[in-house]
Amino acid sequence: MGIERIKSIKDLPPEENVFSGTPACAGCGALLSLRLTLKALGRKIVIVNAAGCFTLLTIYPYTPFANSWLYTAMASAPAGAQGVRDALDILLEKGRLDPEEDLKVVVLTGDGAAYDIGLASTSGAIYRNLDFYYLCYDNEAYGNTGFQRSGATPFGSGTGTTPPGSVRPTGTELPKKDLFEIWRSHKPPYLATISPAYPVDLINKFKKAEQYKGPKLFIALSPCPPGWATDPSYTVKLAKLAVGTGVWALKEAVYGEVSHTIVPKKFKPVEEYLKEQGRFAHLFKPVRQEETLKKMQEMVDDYWKRHQLLL
């Protein structure tokens, strides 16, 4: 099936399906990813929102969304999506809903639910081949409750529950879980990583995913100014640096076959990405942690070597 891809930022859909004036933090990278995602998905959708930062977007009777929205606890958004999809399918089967009025079902969740609390119910939904989109805005911690460590928190990061100090100068000592590979082991039709700094890549991935029925995952690396201790105006710069240093690989997988959609011609040192963020400041002062910085660079290099893309 041919896919009508866009070629430049001038081709982005003009429609806005999430409106301004939300209570999200200034410079929220997740909100920018959501705005672009809803440009791609359109208005004929139902959002099933797991508890997280975006819980705050809709406060009855006010909502920034141009579509329907259902709120769930952190663990149960995929189960909620199953119920919505089943209801729509029954209405279609009974002729009480015109196929033209059918809706896409979209789970919207942060990394706390996606990587940790909701992982079991997500696995069940993928196993049942539920036809839904799953957008994870990944700010690499539990952002709306004080920035505690989640399964997405990277090695070396300081968080509310892994503060660097004399006992653990590194901060977070465990590596980030690989949610992309966890999903890929279930063999769903489509998976992708996205970035708010690469809107053309983001939109084209949603366009491509439309042709597949079943679970479709999108993980958006989402700079978080309060948690990452960065200036709100740096959000897009940081998102670009994450890709430019190789920390965040932009890729997709169709029925398990992985391809990278954007590969830097020359990777920048990971340090350029780390030194811009307060959550990694302890790696540079009062004493520069050479071994930790070296290990973080090696972790990134190892990924690209495995995929034979590091020249």
Side-chain angles (χ1 to χ4, degrees):
M1 181 184 297
I3 306 297
E4 187 180 347
R5 299 171 61 86
I6 67 170
K7 297 179 179 178
S8 80
I9 198 168
K10 296 179 181 177
D11 301 323
L12 291 178
E15 297 81 12
E16 296 291 352
N17 296 318
V18 58
F19 302 117
S20 59
T22 75
C25 302
C28 176
L31 189 61
L32 182 53
S33 293
L34 178 63
R35 178 189 174 201
L36 293 167
T37 293
L38 296 192
K39 280 178 174 285
L41 290 174
R43 294 192 175 187
K44 288 186 176 181
I45 64 173
V46 178
I47 290 178
V48 183
N49 192 163
C53 288
F54 283 172
T55 299
L56 305 173
L57 295 188
T58 294
I59 302 173
Y60 183 81
Y62 304 107
T63 176
F65 295 116
N67 52 269
S68 300
W69 180 85
L70 172 68
Y71 178 61
T72 74
M74 292 188 82
S76 53
Q82 180 77 61
V84 172
R85 186 64 261 167
D86 288 349
L88 289 167
D89 288 341
I90 290 170
L91 291 173
L92 288 167
E93 184 176 333
K94 291 185 175 182
R96 295 172 59 185
L97 181 67
D98 190 316
E100 291 294 320
E101 298 300 319
D102 192 15
L103 303 172
K104 299 169 185 169
V105 181
V106 181
V107 164
L108 176 61
T109 179
D111 51 275
Y115 285 73
D116 296 330
I117 298 174
L119 193 53
S121 63
T122 303
S123 176
I126 306 169
Y127 181 69
R128 296 190 300 272
N129 199 36
L130 174 64
D131 185 22
F132 74 134
Y133 293 80
Y134 190 103
L135 172 63
C136 169
Y137 52 96
D138 183 357
N139 61 13
E140 301 188 319
Y142 288 87
N144 73 325
T145 53
F147 210 73
Q148 298 90 356
R149 184 183 70 82
S150 79
T153 301
F155 172 77
S157 171
T159 74
T161 47
T162 55
S166 57
V167 177
R168 296 184 179 84
T170 301
T172 302
E173 296 179 332
L174 294 173
K176 180 181 179 120
K177 287 184 189 175
D178 194 338
L179 186 65
F180 187 91
E181 288 299 320
I182 292 171
W183 267 70
R184 194 162 78 95
S185 70
H186 293 68
K187 299 181 174 57
Y190 189 80
L191 315 173
T193 57
I194 54 178
S195 166
Y198 292 84
V200 173
D201 179 73
L202 184 154
I203 294 289
N204 282 332
K205 283 173 173 168
F206 276 96
K207 283 179 169 285
K208 187 171 184 176
E210 280 185 349
Q211 65 186 306
Y212 303 110
K213 187 173 183 179
K216 296 169 277 284
L217 168 70
F218 298 83
I219 314 172
L221 182 68
S222 302
C224 169
W228 293 18
T230 55
D231 190 284
S233 65
Y234 282 16
T235 292
V236 173
K237 175 185 177 181
L238 282 171
K240 284 184 177 177
L241 267 177
V243 175
T245 56
V247 169
W248 189 248
L250 286 174
K251 58 187 175 181
E252 62 185 2
V254 177
Y255 290 111
E257 186 169 345
V258 179
S259 59
H260 290 79
T261 54
I262 294 177
V263 179
K265 291 181 180 177
K266 184 177 181 180
F267 290 93
K268 297 179 179 178
V270 170
E271 188 173 327
E272 289 192 24
Y273 172 69
L274 302 177
K275 68 184 181 183
E276 296 287 345
Q277 305 172 54
R279 63 176 175 157
F280 295 114
H282 58 283
L283 301 180
F284 299 95
K285 57 182 180 182
V287 177
R288 185 179 166 89
Q289 299 187 38
E290 291 291 356
E291 286 302 313
T292 301
L293 291 168
K294 180 182 176 185
K295 181 176 180 179
M296 295 172 84
Q297 181 67 60
E298 288 174 348
M299 291 167 74
V300 172
D301 290 348
D302 286 346
Y303 171 85
W304 292 101
K305 286 176 182 175
R306 283 201 308 277
H307 290 278
Q308 300 182 329
L309 291 169
L310 185 65
L311 301 177

